Amino acid sequence: MADADVPGQGSGTGTEGAPSRSILRSETLIVLALSLGASALSALISFVGSVTKPGGLKHQAATLNASHAPGRPWLDLAWQLFGIATALVPVALVAHLLLRERAGGLRAVGFDRRRPGFDLSRGVGIAAVIGGSGLLLYLGARAAGVNLTVVPEALPEVWWKIPVLIASAVQNAVLEEVVVVGYLLRRLGQLGWSPMAALAASSLLRGSYHLYQGIGGFFGNMVMGVLFVLLYRRWGRVGPLVAAHALIDIVAFVGYAVLAGRVGWLPTR
């Protein structure tokens, strides 16, 4: 198997038929600037604003799925679907770039339908391990005053609420795992980064764009990022990671919609 086909690896020599390192570097920066790199900078600005605001972090809220047109459900639905669709444009760009270099598109990072049973079963296992520990970490970080209160959804009680929350969870999973794990590791390997440096960059980026939640969100997602990189290198597929991430977010979003205000242990505001 050629270096460029190994997850997180690549010769990066710029040989004939392959993009040069300068092109790969530029396109990687563009993909990140259009997606999660921009989100990381936005999260940093948001975190600075939260830290410098009077009162503790736990008395502030970070809302993930909010209404865009309160009192106008059909317009709100249009905005929700628009946001989900446009958030996936960087994934389409990644697919195009991988097709251009004749790597097989998203198949090169293991996001395809070749092994659905494998992807789903491994994803369920990962979600079961990470989901509970992630909730405990969040509750502990909030109690310690280093995390905002995360409000997974604040949508109106309309018929499309649950479907939109599920679609939002899947969108988050596809965008993050394809870009931050599959694509970024491949490109950093081609650019000559060591496996350890690429792991650190991927996990640090994942933590950074969750910084708007607070210190707990940052470190918790960094740890998740390390685990996901290791599993990706073991399996050579982002499919299980997408499944796990989607399941974690679906449980968080829909679970909050069902339980908020009905159980005492779940912070709301």
Side-chain angles (χ1 to χ4, degrees):
M1 181 181 290
D3 284 346
D5 295 327
V6 178
Q9 302 296 320
S11 60
T13 57
T15 55
E16 185 178 358
S20 67
R21 287 194 177 188
S22 62
I23 291 176
L24 293 177
R25 187 178 299 110
S26 296
E27 77 167 33
T28 302
L29 291 174
I30 290 171
V31 168
L32 293 179
L34 292 173
S35 58
L36 296 165
S39 296
L41 181 57
S42 173
L44 175 60
I45 296 171
S46 177
F47 177 69
V48 171
S50 297
V51 170
T52 55
K53 186 177 180 179
L57 289 180
K58 70 177 182 179
H59 298 299
Q60 302 176 50
T63 303
L64 306 188
N65 294 283
S67 174
H68 296 306
R72 307 180 69 184
W74 285 103
L75 181 61
D76 201 350
L77 175 60
W79 277 118
Q80 299 293 337
L81 296 178
F82 173 79
I84 290 169
T86 54
L88 290 173
V89 171
V91 176
L93 175 59
V94 165
H96 167 75
L97 295 172
L98 293 177
L99 281 171
R100 186 195 62 184
E101 68 175 271
R102 298 178 180 147
L106 295 181
R107 183 173 182 171
V109 297
F111 188 56
D112 52 37
R113 294 178 292 179
R114 285 180 296 171
R115 305 180 68 185
F118 177 90
D119 293 345
L120 184 58
S121 62
R122 297 303 189 278
V124 169
I126 299 168
V129 172
I130 292 180
S133 57
L135 177 59
L136 292 176
L137 175 63
Y138 159 66
L139 293 175
R142 182 181 178 278
V146 296
N147 219 77
L148 285 76
T149 297
V150 177
V151 179
E153 68 86 19
L155 296 176
E157 295 298 328
V158 289
W159 63 268
W160 49 259
K161 176 177 181 174
I162 300 302
V164 161
L165 290 175
I166 293 173
S168 177
V170 173
Q171 171 257 298
N172 288 341
V174 172
L175 175 64
E176 293 186 36
E177 306 316 326
V178 168
V179 173
V180 177
V181 178
Y183 177 75
L184 185 59
L185 291 181
R186 180 182 180 87
R187 284 295 182 255
L188 294 181
Q190 291 172 318
L191 290 170
W193 288 47
S194 70
M196 185 60 69
L199 180 150
S202 177
S203 58
L204 180 62
L205 176 58
R206 187 187 294 269
S208 297
Y209 59 74
H210 286 95
L211 192 57
Y212 68 91
Q213 299 177 8
I215 299 297
F218 174 75
F219 284 108
N221 280 280
M222 270 193 64
V223 173
M224 176 178 166
V226 170
L227 176 62
F228 274 26
V229 167
L230 295 177
L231 291 176
Y232 174 64
R233 286 176 172 164
R234 178 180 179 85
W235 295 328
R237 298 183 58 77
V238 299
L241 310 182
V242 171
H245 193 151
L247 288 171
I248 291 170
D249 279 6
I250 288 171
V251 171
F253 296 170
V254 176
Y256 185 90
V258 172
L259 297 176
R262 296 181 174 88
V263 295
W265 54 265
L266 184 62
T268 54
R269 289 286 180 180

